[in-house]
Every structure is written in C-alpha cells, then in structure tokens.
Amino acid sequence: MMDTVLNIGLCSKTLPGLIKKTNNPRFVYDSYRRLIMMYADVVMEKAEGIEPADGKSIRKQLDDMLDAFKEAKGYKSDTDIKAEELQQLAEDFKVRIKEVLGTEFPDDAEAQLEGGIKAVFKSWNGKKAISYRRIEGIPDDWGTAVNVQTMVFGNMGDGSATGVAFTRNPATGDNQFYGEWLINAQGEDVVAGIRTPNPLNDDTKNEQNKHMHSMQELMPDTYKELCEVRNILEKNYHDMLDIEFTIQDGKLYMLQCRVGKRTGVAALTMALDMLKEGLIDEKEVVMRLTPEQLDELLHPILDAADEKKRTVIAKGLPAGPGGAVGKIALTSEKAKEYRAAKVSNILVREETNPEDVEGMRAADGILTARGGMTSHAALVARGWGKCCIVGCDAVKIDLEKGIVKIGDKQFKEGDTISLNGSKGWVYNEAIAMINATENPLFQQFMKLVDKYRKMGVCTNADNPEDAQNAINFGAEGIGLFRIEHMFYGKNSEEPLAKLRNMILANTTEERVAALNELEPYIKNAAKGTLKVLNGKPLTFRLMDPPLHEFVPHTEEKQRALAKERGMSFEEIKKRIDALNEVNPMMGLRGVRLGIVYPEITETQFRALFQATAELMKEG
C-alpha cells in the first residue's frame, strides 16, 4: 500500500551517459518514460493530495496517451515501441503534466531524489494506506522508513526480466515454487497487472498460460539459481515467502522478500507440511493460522451439482479460492454502496490498484481483466480469503456507459454473475452455494489446538442441528440456548401463533391455555438439543425478548390477526401499541415478565424438567 518510485535520476544531463554506457537507447528512453509516468502519479499528484477531476488521474491520462499511441501504430505491446518514439512520448508526457498539474516535471536528478523520498514518507498518510491500516488493525503511529537503493533493470532487452514468486503455492499451500515473470519489463508491470505475465515454471502453468514460455524453459541456469535462493530463504525464515527479483543481462538480483499472504486453505496446508518437514513445531503450527483464516475454511463454495448444469462464459487465473455470487459493481464506490445495503456483489475492474482497497473489502468476489497471480488484486484478495479471478481477458469494461462485456455477453452494473475462484471460471447467472466440505486437515489442526489451549470452549445454539455442528467443531457444551429462537426462521409459524395468543390473552385463564399449547414446542426443542449434548453442560435462557417484536406491525397483517382472533382491528392495534417500549432493555421482558406473569416461567420450567426426565428414562 506504500508508494515506490523507480528510475529516479534520469534527466537531460544523465540520459546521454546511460545511453553511452549501455549502448541501448530504447532501454534508456523506456526507463525515462516510466519515471515520468510514476513520478507524476506518486510525487506530483498523490503526495500533494491533488484529487483528479472526473476520476481522471494523471497516471490514467498518461496511460491513455500510451494506449492511443500503440493503437495508432498497431503495436500489441509496450516492447514494440521504438527508441525515438519513446523519446517523443516522454516529451508529450511532460507537456500534459504541465497542463494538468501546473508544474514542470523536474529535470534534475537531486530534485527527483528529494521529491521521491518525501513522497514515500507522505504515502504513509495516503488514503489507501489509511484504509488498509484500518482494515488490518495496524497502528497509525508506527510511521515508515524509506529505502533508497540502486536500480537494476529488467527492461534492458530479451536477456533481462523481472518477476515475483512465492516459495510455495499461496492459493493451495502445495509445496511448489510458484510465480510469474516478464521478459524485458520492470517490477511494476508484474504487480500492477499492466501485462499478463508468463508462468515461472511448469508448476505455475494452467489452462490460461500453458502456451507461454516459463523461466524454467528460457533461462534454465538462472531459474536453478533462483530455486537455490528459495531453499535458503525458507530454511532461514521457516515460513512461506513472497520474493521479488530482477534479471539484468542474465544476472539474477534479489530485490526483497517478506512473509507471503496466503489463503486459509494454504495457511493450514503449509503449517502442517512445515511441521512434517521439521521447519516448525506444534505450537508454531497453532499460531500460524489467524481466526479469520480458520473462518475462511468454513466459507461457501459453488454447489458442484448446480455448477455442472451451467455454461462457463469466461476463464481467468484462479487467484483466490471459494465461490462468489453477486451483482456486478464496476467501481469501489458501488461495491461499498452494495455492502452497506447488505447486497452480495462482485467488483469487476480492468485491474485493481491500491486505491480500490475499500471496494475490494466490500465485495464478495473480485474479477479483473488484466494481471497475474501476483498482481495487486490477487495478493490482497488472498490475504483476505476472498474469491478472486484475475487476468480474464474476455472482460471488456466501458465505465462511461456502465456496461461490461464478458465473452460475447453484455452486462450492466447490478446484473448477477458467479465466480469459481478455485478454477478461475465465470458464469452469467446465480449458482447455488454450499458450505465447504469438512477438511481432514482442519480436524488435525483442531486436535493440535486442543492440546495447547488453556480455556474451555462453549457455543451458542438454539436447536439440535446447530448443537451437533458445535460438537463436531469441538465445543464442550452450550453456553447459551435462547428459548425464544424457536419463534424465528424455519418451522416457526406454529409456535409463533401460540406465542401471539399468549401475548394477546385477556385473562389468566386464556394465557394459561395458550401456554399449555406452547409447552410441547419448548419441550421438544430442549429435548432434541439435550440429547445431542449427551451429558455435556447446557445453559438455558428463559424467554427474553421484548414482546412487541413478536406481533405484526403492518396494518395489513394486524387486520389479518384481528380477523383470525375474532377481534376488532382497533382493539388489536391498541393492544399492540401498548406493548411498544421506549427502552426495551428496561421493559417487560426476561425476569420481570416472569414476575408479573409467573405462569410464563412455570411453563418453561415444566417443559425443561419434563425434557430432562424423559431423556433420563430413555437412558
């Protein structure tokens, strides 16, 4: 989320020297136009807090100029542009920067260095960094340092390259060296998703990129050296690492390494594998998974039976596992709007960048047209365990019209699509979701957790199914069984009708009669749950909610209830209005309700004792 500026120091004084040194004017002017684009974006606009008009940032404008130039010339890739054309583009860029931002791009190496350093410091307080810290719980007062380091160039020609790799597969956790690389490119090309990169090796090949050459094929010696680095780093750090490297004229340079982001499934697999390999001990295995990653293991996937009946409309790279179904959101703002309205949504973008971080958080799934498995979208989605497909080149977005073409089908914002993030498949309709099946590794992990934990674990459950689920996941009892939950959701119509009779009863006799009809439902719910627990402790909470929650509030439903009970609408309305409470926490509920109407408490006790006695008789 922090900013970087590459190629600092290129200016009219230094350009001729670098051309003379490398004898490669194309490389020099490619680096120069990259510097101008990045510097204008990071230092001159973002660091200065300039908000672009109509969302047209200076970077977007310069990218559009580059795309228009390539289209006019019929070039497929940036690498097709010749040296003198890059030189002219750089000059055109500088004119546009002066027009839009009102200041000149600095033609002085020291001024660029100072601007770059200040911009990285300022990026600690940039919008995307603040959003990310809020989501990840990182303190604002940590602050940042700035690294200034010598450039090595992956864009010097076909003997140069850049790449990002993980020491193991970050999506599945498999012990394979996993990554992507681009020949004649700089690091930002891979991470920003500007070009869809090549696979690092055979293990990284899939349906989408199997025709592309890997580093293992084209630079076998350098690949072997990189594999040795991988082994050294894992042995040293005892963890899966995310590494960035550059090859300049055949020589391998390591740029950085850090602990790699991973999905919940991958975190579980890696931790147990590293235990077997002797890299970490059992206690470290337990600490390797966050609660969020465990939660993710229980998340839904597309129902395979339903999925079989549907047609895949596009394929991309499977960057984040699981399934997602939701309405298309073409901007981060729309995704956040959907989230606020509790509407499932899928963020569809050309590629995501750090400005999209809040929209990505708000989305249920992410689909991008460009970028690889190490692009921004893939890294962030994996870190959050979100379903994500990247590099799906069948996606064509027209933001102005608010439409997106996926393959030969056209969609507008708000249309529903489904993603299978484990396979990288896109569907043009809603597909049923199911919970991920029980993972035997999860059971193994929970046994280790049990071995080292210090506290007992109970759960909330209000019916036999939930209680069984809790016991399956290792709960030692039910901390709270809320009796009134029988009046919500599945099969609640009958007990709810009896409860309403009790609430609206005119006399004690009527109330007792209604309670007698309600009692068997309470007894059965309690008995079923006690049976599942088979002697484990269970705490019942007597009926507690405010009574007005259980009576209808719309006129239509109140009239229907009046007719059903043979009362006038006015009488029913008066009774319901009387139940309303300004502060339900202090109102007629829970223990106070049982003091005013002891028959309500008696009925509940009788039901609970009866359930217990019957189970004792049944052994």
Side-chain angles (χ1 to χ4, degrees):
M1 298 298 145
M2 305 292 294
D3 282 321
T4 306
V5 197
L6 305 181
N7 308 305
I8 290 272
L10 289 175
C11 57
S12 50
K13 276 187 188 162
T14 57
L15 286 163
L18 193 59
I19 292 171
K20 194 173 170 191
K21 184 178 179 182
T22 59
N23 198 24
N24 188 343
R26 194 209 165 273
F27 146 69
V28 175
Y29 284 112
D30 181 50
S31 302
Y32 188 46
R33 69 96 193 156
R34 286 167 180 276
L35 166 67
I36 295 168
M37 292 173 92
M38 216 170 186
Y39 194 93
D41 172 34
V42 172
V43 183
M44 300 175 76
E45 186 174 77
K46 282 193 199 127
E48 293 307 310
I50 296 170
E51 285 292 334
D54 318 325
K56 281 278 183 120
S57 65
I58 189 68
R59 180 66 195 237
K60 174 89 177 86
Q61 293 187 45
L62 300 181
D63 276 334
D64 289 348
M65 285 171 72
L66 185 64
D67 289 343
F69 179 82
K70 284 192 296 195
E71 203 169 301
K73 292 281 185 181
Y75 295 156
K76 278 204 168 76
S77 168
D78 298 356
T79 51
D80 299 334
I81 309 173
K82 299 178 182 68
E84 56 278 11
E85 292 170 336
L86 285 163
Q87 189 177 1
Q88 186 52 53
L89 263 173
E91 294 310 311
D92 296 345
F93 283 172
K94 288 194 279 192
V95 171
R96 174 66 64 92
I97 290 164
K98 178 79 169 55
E99 279 170 15
V100 175
L101 299 177
T103 44
E104 304 247 349
F105 171 78
D107 188 32
D108 176 80
E110 287 193 9
Q112 289 173 14
L113 185 61
E114 187 179 329
I117 290 169
K118 285 180 175 170
V120 176
F121 275 126
K122 285 178 183 172
S123 75
W124 178 259
N125 288 319
K127 248 189 348 202
K128 59 184 180 178
I130 291 169
S131 293
Y132 190 73
R133 284 203 294 278
R134 198 174 62 241
I135 292 164
E136 292 286 352
I138 298 168
D140 286 331
D141 60 5
W142 278 6
T144 183
V146 178
N147 271 342
V148 179
Q149 66 187 77
T150 311
M151 281 293 295
V152 282
F153 296 99
N155 59 328
M156 269 192 173
D158 289 344
S160 300
T162 188
V164 175
F166 296 86
T167 56
R168 301 185 187 215
N169 185 320
T172 63
D174 293 344
N175 191 356
Q176 315 162 316
F177 196 18
Y178 193 87
E180 295 171 322
W181 73 313
L182 273 172
I183 291 178
N184 198 9
Q186 286 194 349
E188 60 159 340
D189 298 357
V190 182
V191 180
I194 293 164
R195 284 158 61 184
T196 296
N198 290 38
L200 185 72
N201 52 22
D202 295 340
D203 284 338
T204 310
K205 288 196 170 182
N206 57 37
E207 279 303 305
Q208 303 308 107
N209 63 16
K210 61 185 179 190
H211 60 286
M212 298 166 98
H213 290 300
S214 69
M215 184 176 168
Q216 196 175 5
E217 292 161 357
L218 294 186
M219 297 187 180
D221 294 343
T222 316
Y223 175 72
K224 204 172 145 211
E225 191 186 341
L226 189 63
C227 289
E228 282 161 17
V229 170
R230 168 208 183 193
N231 296 333
I232 292 166
L233 289 173
E234 272 214 351
K235 279 200 184 98
N236 182 64
Y237 288 106
H238 306 281
D239 206 343
M240 183 275 276
L241 300 154
D242 162 353
I243 56 185
E244 292 185 23
F245 62 90
T246 286
I247 299 156
Q248 178 176 309
D249 276 339
K251 184 172 167 131
L252 176 68
Y253 291 91
M254 299 307 299
L255 306 183
Q256 69 168 25
C257 85
R258 56 187 170 191
V259 172
K261 295 261 190 267
R262 64 204 71 182
T263 62
V265 174
L268 181 67
T269 305
M270 282 178 207
L272 290 167
D273 279 355
M274 286 181 180
L275 174 67
K276 270 189 226 141
E277 293 159 29
L279 276 177
I280 57 176
D281 61 18
E282 289 182 346
K283 282 187 173 175
E284 182 57 31
V285 171
V286 174
M287 298 309 290
R288 274 288 158 93
L289 273 90
T290 63
E292 291 75 18
Q293 284 172 324
L294 282 176
D295 182 36
E296 186 197 317
L297 292 170
L298 313 175
H299 270 229
I301 52 176
L302 297 184
D303 180 348
D306 191 22
E307 194 178 355
K308 260 193 199 126
K309 303 174 201 159
R310 318 294 178 140
T311 309
V312 176
I313 58 162
K315 291 182 179 179
L317 300 172
V325 179
K327 291 182 184 293
I328 292 173
L330 294 177
T331 62
S332 283
E333 282 60 44
K334 193 68 184 172
K336 288 194 291 191
E337 196 182 298
Y338 279 141
R339 168 60 61 219
K342 295 190 167 50
V343 173
S344 298
N345 67 91
I346 290 169
L347 182 64
V348 182
R349 305 283 278 150
E350 281 288 330
E351 73 239 346
T352 64
N353 59 50
E355 271 71 45
D356 289 318
V357 60
E358 291 200 55
M360 294 171 76
R361 186 64 165 179
D364 295 78
I366 297 158
L367 172 65
T368 71
R370 296 202 292 236
M373 298 290 276
T374 54
S375 63
H376 175 268
L379 283 176
V380 174
R382 270 201 295 277
W384 288 337
K386 261 190 212 298
C387 174
C388 175
I389 298 172
V390 295
C392 180
D393 49 19
V395 172
K396 303 278 183 285
I397 298 170
D398 186 335
L399 266 182
E400 279 169 18
K401 290 185 182 155
I403 55 171
V404 54
K405 273 189 85 171
I406 305 177
D408 54 6
K409 292 194 162 27
Q410 186 168 302
F411 302 87
K412 56 188 190 303
E413 205 162 44
D415 287 346
T416 299
I417 58 171
S418 300
L419 308 181
N420 180 333
S422 307
K423 291 182 176 157
W425 295 351
V426 184
Y427 296 90
N428 65 331
E429 55 202 328
I431 293 178
M433 306 277 282
I434 56 167
N435 275 337
T437 49
E438 287 204 358
N439 185 334
L441 289 179
F442 177 78
Q443 307 295 336
Q444 194 185 332
F445 176 81
M446 292 310 282
K447 282 200 179 87
L448 280 180
V449 174
D450 268 347
K451 187 170 165 184
Y452 292 104
R453 69 189 168 95
K454 298 278 200 300
M455 50 161 66
V457 179
C458 286
T459 182
N460 286 0
D462 314 292
N463 58 56
E465 295 79 25
D466 286 353
Q468 188 61 61
N469 226 348
I471 299 301
N472 293 349
F473 283 124
E476 296 162 305
I478 304 298
L480 185 63
F481 176 113
R482 299 157 290 200
I483 287 179
E484 71 275 358
H485 274 238
M486 60 193 290
F487 307 122
Y488 303 113
K490 205 167 137 197
N491 303 328
S492 61
E493 295 83 359
E494 284 185 20
L496 183 58
K498 315 278 183 213
L499 179 73
R500 283 178 175 168
N501 289 342
M502 181 206 85
I503 294 171
L504 297 168
N506 286 310
T507 64
T508 306
E509 290 70 29
E510 276 183 29
R511 196 173 305 104
V512 169
L515 283 164
N516 288 343
E517 287 185 15
L518 189 57
E519 192 177 318
Y521 292 95
I522 301 175
K523 187 191 81 173
N524 291 340
K527 186 175 175 181
T529 306
L530 282 166
K531 190 172 180 179
V532 166
L533 285 169
N534 194 18
K536 289 186 172 71
L538 184 152
T539 307
F540 285 108
R541 185 181 76 184
L542 300 187
M543 232 180 280
D544 183 57
L547 298 178
H548 68 263
E549 285 187 7
F550 292 108
V551 286
H553 292 282
T554 63
E555 185 179 325
E556 185 190 343
K557 286 190 174 163
Q558 287 177 356
R559 285 188 183 279
L561 182 63
K563 194 174 171 190
E564 191 185 304
R565 292 186 54 81
M567 293 165 72
S568 72
F569 165 65
E570 288 69 25
E571 175 63 14
I572 280 277
K573 185 168 169 25
K574 191 174 153 195
R575 296 286 293 279
I576 287 172
D577 289 348
L579 288 171
N580 268 319
E581 295 175 343
V582 178
N583 181 352
M585 288 297 162
M586 306 279 293
L588 188 61
R589 62 185 285 189
V591 70
R592 292 184 290 276
L593 178 69
I595 290 168
V596 178
Y597 301 110
E599 57 273 21
I600 295 177
T601 303
E602 282 167 22
T603 302
Q604 293 178 85
F605 280 165
R606 200 165 45 239
L608 300 182
F609 294 152
Q610 198 97 34
T612 309
E614 285 178 18
L615 284 170
M616 286 164 76
K617 267 190 177 164
E618 290 163 26

